[in-house]
Coordinates of all heavy atoms in Angstrom, one line a residue:
G109 N -17.7 -19.1 3.1 CA -17.7 -18.8 4.5 C -18.9 -19.4 5.2 O -19.2 -18.9 6.3
L110 N -19.6 -20.3 4.6 CA -20.8 -20.9 5.1 C -20.5 -22.4 5.6 O -19.5 -22.9 5.2 CB -22.0 -21.0 4.1 CG -22.4 -19.6 3.5 CD1 -23.4 -19.8 2.4 CD2 -23.0 -18.7 4.6
Q111 N -21.4 -22.9 6.5 CA -21.3 -24.3 6.9 C -21.6 -25.1 5.7 O -22.5 -24.9 4.9 CB -22.2 -24.6 8.0 CG -21.9 -23.9 9.3 CD -20.7 -24.4 10.0 OE1 -20.1 -25.4 9.6 NE2 -20.2 -23.7 11.0
R112 N -20.8 -26.3 5.6 CA -21.1 -27.3 4.6 C -22.5 -27.8 4.7 O -23.2 -28.0 3.7 CB -20.1 -28.3 4.7 CG -20.3 -29.5 3.7 CD -19.3 -30.7 4.0 NE -19.4 -31.2 5.4 CZ -20.3 -32.1 5.7 NH1 -21.1 -32.6 4.9 NH2 -20.3 -32.5 7.0
A113 N -22.9 -28.1 5.9 CA -24.2 -28.8 6.1 C -25.2 -27.9 6.9 O -24.8 -27.0 7.6 CB -24.0 -30.1 7.0
S114 N -26.4 -28.0 6.5 CA -27.6 -27.4 7.2 C -28.7 -28.3 7.3 O -28.9 -29.2 6.4 CB -28.0 -26.1 6.4 OG -28.4 -26.4 5.1
A115 N -29.5 -28.2 8.3 CA -30.6 -29.2 8.5 C -31.7 -28.6 9.3 O -31.6 -27.7 10.1 CB -30.0 -30.4 9.3
T116 N -32.9 -29.3 9.1 CA -34.1 -29.0 10.0 C -34.6 -30.4 10.4 O -34.3 -31.5 9.8 CB -35.2 -28.3 9.2 OG1 -35.5 -29.1 8.0 CG2 -34.7 -26.9 8.8
L117 N -35.3 -30.4 11.5 CA -35.9 -31.6 12.1 C -37.4 -31.4 12.4 O -37.7 -30.4 13.1 CB -35.2 -32.0 13.4 CG -35.8 -33.2 14.2 CD1 -35.7 -34.5 13.4 CD2 -35.1 -33.3 15.5
I118 N -38.2 -32.2 11.9 CA -39.7 -32.1 12.2 C -40.0 -33.3 13.1 O -39.6 -34.4 12.9 CB -40.5 -32.2 10.9 CG1 -40.2 -31.1 9.9 CG2 -42.0 -32.2 11.3 CD1 -40.6 -29.7 10.4
L119 N -40.8 -33.0 14.2 CA -41.2 -33.9 15.1 C -42.7 -34.1 15.0 O -43.5 -33.2 14.9 CB -40.8 -33.6 16.6 CG -39.4 -33.4 16.9 CD1 -39.2 -32.9 18.3 CD2 -38.6 -34.8 16.7
N120 N -43.1 -35.4 15.0 CA -44.6 -35.8 14.9 C -45.0 -36.5 16.1 O -44.3 -37.4 16.6 CB -44.8 -36.6 13.6 CG -44.5 -35.9 12.3 OD1 -43.3 -35.7 12.0 ND2 -45.5 -35.6 11.6
D121 N -46.2 -36.2 16.5 CA -46.8 -36.9 17.7 C -47.1 -38.4 17.3 O -47.6 -38.6 16.3 CB -48.2 -36.2 18.0 CG -48.9 -36.9 19.1 OD1 -48.3 -37.2 20.2 OD2 -50.0 -37.3 18.9
G122 N -46.7 -39.2 18.2 CA -46.9 -40.7 17.9 C -48.3 -41.2 17.8 O -48.6 -42.2 17.3
A123 N -49.2 -40.5 18.5 CA -50.6 -41.0 18.6 C -51.4 -40.4 17.4 O -52.2 -41.2 16.8 CB -51.3 -40.5 19.9
T124 N -51.2 -39.1 17.0 CA -52.0 -38.5 16.0 C -51.3 -38.3 14.7 O -51.9 -38.1 13.6 CB -52.6 -37.1 16.5 OG1 -51.5 -36.2 16.6 CG2 -53.2 -37.2 17.8
G125 N -50.0 -38.4 14.7 CA -49.2 -38.0 13.5 C -49.0 -36.6 13.3 O -48.3 -36.2 12.3
F126 N -49.7 -35.7 14.0 CA -49.5 -34.3 13.8 C -48.1 -33.8 14.1 O -47.6 -34.2 15.2 CB -50.6 -33.5 14.7 CG -51.9 -33.2 14.0 CD1 -52.8 -34.2 13.9 CD2 -52.1 -32.0 13.4 CE1 -54.0 -34.1 13.3 CE2 -53.4 -31.8 12.7 CZ -54.3 -32.8 12.7
P127 N -47.5 -33.0 13.2 CA -46.2 -32.4 13.6 C -46.4 -31.3 14.7 O -47.4 -30.6 14.7 CB -45.7 -31.8 12.3 CG -46.9 -31.6 11.5 CD -47.9 -32.7 11.8
F128 N -45.5 -31.3 15.6 CA -45.7 -30.3 16.7 C -44.4 -29.4 16.9 O -44.5 -28.5 17.7 CB -46.0 -31.0 18.0 CG -45.0 -32.0 18.4 CD1 -43.9 -31.6 19.3 CD2 -45.2 -33.4 18.2 CE1 -43.0 -32.5 19.7 CE2 -44.2 -34.3 18.6 CZ -43.1 -33.9 19.4
A129 N -43.4 -29.7 16.1 CA -42.2 -28.8 16.3 C -41.3 -28.9 15.1 O -41.2 -29.9 14.3 CB -41.4 -29.2 17.5
C130 N -40.6 -27.8 14.8 CA -39.5 -27.7 13.8 C -38.3 -27.2 14.5 O -38.4 -26.1 15.2 CB -39.9 -26.8 12.7 SG -38.6 -26.6 11.4
L131 N -37.2 -27.9 14.4 CA -36.0 -27.5 15.1 C -34.8 -27.4 14.1 O -34.8 -28.1 13.1 CB -35.6 -28.5 16.1 CG -36.4 -28.8 17.3 CD1 -37.6 -29.6 17.0 CD2 -35.6 -29.5 18.5
E132 N -34.0 -26.3 14.3 CA -32.7 -26.2 13.6 C -31.9 -27.5 13.9 O -31.8 -27.8 15.1 CB -32.0 -25.0 14.0 CG -30.8 -24.7 13.1 CD -29.5 -25.5 13.3 OE1 -29.3 -25.9 14.5 OE2 -28.8 -25.9 12.4
A133 N -31.5 -28.3 13.0 CA -31.0 -29.6 13.2 C -29.5 -29.7 12.9 O -28.9 -30.8 13.1 CB -31.7 -30.7 12.5
G134 N -28.8 -28.7 12.4 CA -27.4 -28.8 12.3 C -26.6 -29.0 13.6 O -25.8 -29.9 13.7
L135 N -27.1 -28.4 14.6 CA -26.5 -28.5 15.9 C -26.9 -29.9 16.5 O -26.1 -30.6 17.1 CB -26.9 -27.4 16.8 CG -26.4 -27.4 18.3 CD1 -24.9 -27.4 18.2 CD2 -26.8 -26.2 19.0
I136 N -28.2 -30.2 16.4 CA -28.7 -31.5 16.9 C -27.9 -32.7 16.2 O -27.5 -33.6 16.9 CB -30.2 -31.6 16.7 CG1 -30.9 -30.7 17.7 CG2 -30.6 -33.1 16.8 CD1 -32.4 -30.7 17.5
S137 N -27.7 -32.5 15.0 CA -27.0 -33.6 14.2 C -25.5 -33.7 14.7 O -25.0 -34.8 14.9 CB -27.1 -33.3 12.7 OG -26.5 -34.4 12.0
A138 N -24.9 -32.5 14.8 CA -23.5 -32.6 15.3 C -23.4 -33.2 16.8 O -22.5 -34.0 17.0 CB -22.9 -31.2 15.3
V139 N -24.3 -32.8 17.6 CA -24.2 -33.3 19.0 C -24.5 -34.7 19.1 O -23.8 -35.4 19.8 CB -25.2 -32.3 19.8 CG1 -25.4 -33.0 21.2 CG2 -24.6 -31.0 20.0
R140 N -25.6 -35.2 18.4 CA -25.8 -36.7 18.5 C -24.7 -37.4 17.9 O -24.4 -38.5 18.3 CB -27.2 -36.9 17.9 CG -27.3 -36.8 16.3 CD -26.9 -38.0 15.6 NE -27.6 -38.2 14.3 CZ -27.0 -38.7 13.2 NH1 -25.7 -39.1 13.3 NH2 -27.7 -38.8 12.1
T141 N -24.1 -36.9 16.8 CA -23.0 -37.6 16.2 C -21.8 -37.7 17.2 O -21.1 -38.8 17.4 CB -22.5 -36.9 14.9 OG1 -23.6 -37.0 14.0 CG2 -21.3 -37.6 14.3
T142 N -21.4 -36.6 17.8 CA -20.2 -36.6 18.6 C -20.4 -37.2 19.9 O -19.5 -37.9 20.5 CB -19.7 -35.2 18.8 OG1 -20.7 -34.3 19.3 CG2 -19.3 -34.6 17.4
I143 N -21.6 -37.1 20.6 CA -21.8 -37.7 21.9 C -21.9 -39.1 21.7 O -21.4 -39.9 22.6 CB -23.1 -37.1 22.5 CG1 -23.0 -35.6 22.9 CG2 -23.5 -37.9 23.7 CD1 -24.1 -35.0 23.6
S144 N -22.5 -39.7 20.6 CA -22.5 -41.1 20.4 C -21.1 -41.7 20.3 O -20.8 -42.8 20.7 CB -23.4 -41.5 19.2 OG -22.9 -41.0 18.0
A145 N -20.2 -40.9 19.6 CA -18.8 -41.3 19.4 C -18.1 -41.4 20.7 O -17.4 -42.4 21.1 CB -18.1 -40.5 18.4
V146 N -18.3 -40.4 21.6 CA -17.7 -40.4 22.9 C -18.3 -41.4 23.8 O -17.5 -42.0 24.6 CB -17.8 -38.9 23.5 CG1 -17.3 -38.9 24.9 CG2 -17.2 -37.9 22.7
A147 N -19.6 -41.6 23.7 CA -20.2 -42.8 24.5 C -19.5 -44.1 24.1 O -19.2 -44.9 24.9 CB -21.6 -42.8 24.2
A148 N -19.4 -44.3 22.8 CA -18.7 -45.6 22.4 C -17.2 -45.7 22.9 O -16.8 -46.7 23.3 CB -18.7 -45.6 20.9

Side-chain angles (χ1 to χ4, degrees):
L110 301 173
Q111 293 291 348
R112 173 186 60 84
S114 58
T116 55
L117 173 68
I118 300 292
L119 297 177
N120 297 73
D121 177 54
T124 67
F126 270 79
F128 59 86
C130 177
L131 295 77
E132 191 282 326
L135 180 56
I136 286 175
S137 187
V139 166
R140 67 85 153 146
T141 297
T142 57
I143 291 181
S144 64
V146 175

